[in-house]
Amino acid sequence: EGESLYLGLDFGTSGARFAIIDIVGTIQAEAKRNYPIYLNGESRDWARSWKETLFLLLEDIPLNLRKHIVSISIDGTSATTMIVDSDTGEPLWRPLLYNESCPDALPAVKSIAPPNHTVGYDPEVDSYPSWLVCQPYSHLLPSVVAPGTPIACLKEELRNKFGFQKQCVVCSGTTDSIAAFLAARATQPGKAVTSLGSTLAIKLLSNTRIEDSRFGVYSHRLDDKWLVGGASNTGGVVLRQIFTDDQLEKLSEQINPSQISLLDYYPLPKAGERFPIADPELAPRLLPRPENDVEYLHGILESIARIEAKGYGLLKELGATEVDQVFTAGGGAKNEKWTKIRERVLGLPVSRADQTEAAYGTALLAIKGDQQNIL
Ligand code: ADP
């Protein structure tokens, strides 16, 4: 019969990927496709791009693996919404994207929502707010289920076309950034993932929910725990303004990570910071620049590590579970000297995450869904 396989699909900002894993998490296949550009008048026809990309990715899955897939899960960009016909699945209107503002809708929202309400589903009490439920259109609101909940089986037509098995179940997914956190398998409270990409973002699994809009700190529910996080404007984008990736590598090699750097910077691409310091006017600080570039880079990396430490400290102050181990994702994760510096500054074990792809994290949700499958 062969073993059971699990398919994770990631629909991110620039393209889509899949990862197929077995029950112990070993990757059996993965691939990526960029979204083809279709226009609908002046605007992008995203629904068509996504649908086509989905079917191209399914065709990319090796035939011999397809029949072993027992569970599928999909992630997408947070706050992207699409309204579809419940019978045909066809879109009834163009999707609204995560980065779109809808100013025309504000008066209507203000007329029904209490002041300062975040206007959404409340994951703590597991329901929509009562002022939303009493609206005449409330029956159209989607039912909300936990990530990795079996929802339905595939249509017979699609099953036959692609060669999936009858029992294959489709499960709810999550957002692409939460899926990337799940990929690191930081499954215990106190485990965290720092993403060192263009910016620095931290995410921590906590027993408690915390929110603070001043710092842009909020919590996502993950079963009986909370995924709390914050994002700073510091990060790799500043390094890239000063050094090429090649220079970063060569200079880093010469850093002695056990030596404390006395250079105190606040690297920012431009004025303004939100987390862990809420100050829209905070000025970048990258001076004085020592003559020696190794020293300079050491000072910058150590300063970013201090910002990271301050970030975890702030989450604790706001009431989150204290961090005890940090996994790292993003371009900065490969820098072993930086990892050592961060271990010293954070006073915690720091390591590179084995897996960081959202598609991998989503495949783990497919496993979760299969294990509770009662469809
Ligand atoms: P993005 O957020 O754009 O997806 P990536 O995760 O691809 O970012 O990481 C890119 C960043 O990693 C760049 O801004 C670059 O400065 C940084 N980077 C690349 N190589 C290194 C290195 N050896 N040490 C530290 N940072 C690095």
Side-chain angles (χ1 to χ4, degrees), residues 324-336:
D324 60 33
Q325 185 180 7
V326 176
F327 299 101
T328 318
K334 61 172 175 278
N335 191 323
E336 285 165 20

Side-chain angles (χ1 to χ4, degrees), residues 195-199 235-241 243-250 252 297 301 329-336 338:
S195 175
L196 295 172
S198 301
T199 59
V237 70
V238 185
L239 294 173
R240 211 162 245 178
Q241 284 173 351
F243 302 111
T244 66
D245 285 7
D246 204 41
Q247 283 174 314
L248 282 177
E249 210 163 299
K250 298 223 163 78
S252 294
L297 179 61
L301 296 180
K334 61 172 175 278
N335 191 323
E336 285 165 20
W338 200 1

Side-chain angles (χ1 to χ4, degrees), residues 12 14 30-31 34 75 97 117 131 143 226 289 308 331 351 372:
S14 67
E30 51 185 344
N34 292 322
D75 73 65
L97 263 70
H117 197 281
W131 53 263
S143 46
W226 297 91
R289 177 172 181 160
E308 181 185 3
S351 59
Q372 59 187 71

